[in-house]
Amino acid sequence: LPTAFSLPRGISLKEQSSAAQSSPTPAPNNTQPTPDRTSPTVDLSISPENPTTENPVTLTAEAQDDSGIASIELFVDGASVKQCREATSCTAIVGPYTVDSESNGRTVNYQVQTYDQAGNQASPSGSFLVSPISRPQVDNRPVGEFAD
């Protein structure tokens, strides 16, 4: 026979169903996203590929990154020539450049600094040679005279 007893005041017993006892409580999701540590990829191009003293040069940077591009900055011979924010492409037109007529050309150095939204940086660089225009020598002697 069951024995009657009394519980202290404020305490009661509750019966739980067997279904409630067997369902586990889901574990909290403590997974943090993996931080972006990958630098953006950048393609640099110049046009024309073989500039002369008569050509301005178009310098273009195309950038990609999963977190997005924060900024692109183009430099020529160490000087900033264009800044692009929140864009995947940046273009600057530079030149034309002068070249001493006695030289074989002038080397122009260029660089791009690209940052993604996570702060990772890529800084590819390159150079191009500006060639002087060779003008043909004009013989101003009257027709019929020959050089010695």
Side-chain angles (χ1 to χ4, degrees):
L1 282 179
T3 310
F5 64 92
S6 63
L7 293 172
R9 187 177 220 165
I11 297 179
S12 64
L13 292 176
K14 291 187 179 179
E15 186 177 299
Q16 291 185 344
S17 70
S18 61
Q21 291 174 352
S22 65
S23 61
T25 305
N29 184 357
N30 292 332
T31 307
Q32 297 293 322
T34 305
D36 177 5
R37 292 190 173 95
T38 304
S39 295
T41 58
V42 183
D43 292 322
L44 276 172
S45 64
I46 64 161
S47 178
E49 289 184 18
N50 299 305
T52 66
T53 54
E54 294 181 344
N55 303 119
V57 178
T58 302
L59 177 62
T60 302
E62 300 278 341
Q64 295 178 357
D65 189 82
D66 289 342
S67 69
I69 300 299
S71 67
I72 301 172
E73 187 168 7
L74 300 172
F75 294 84
V76 174
D77 288 337
S80 176
V81 294
K82 182 80 178 262
Q83 294 180 358
C84 302
R85 305 271 184 236
E86 306 291 329
T88 58
S89 179
C90 193
T91 299
I93 298 174
V94 295
Y97 293 95
T98 58
V99 174
D100 185 4
S101 62
E102 303 295 317
S103 75
N104 292 326
R106 174 183 173 193
T107 299
V108 177
N109 299 300
Y110 59 91
Q111 179 184 20
V112 61
Q113 288 184 353
T114 305
Y115 291 90
D116 66 13
Q117 295 293 345
N120 301 306
Q121 179 185 14
S123 297
S125 61
S127 62
F128 57 88
L129 179 67
V130 177
S131 300
I133 297 290
S134 59
R135 307 252 185 242
Q137 293 284 338
V138 177
D139 188 351
N140 290 329
R141 289 176 286 178
V143 176
E145 290 186 25
F146 297 98
D148 296 332

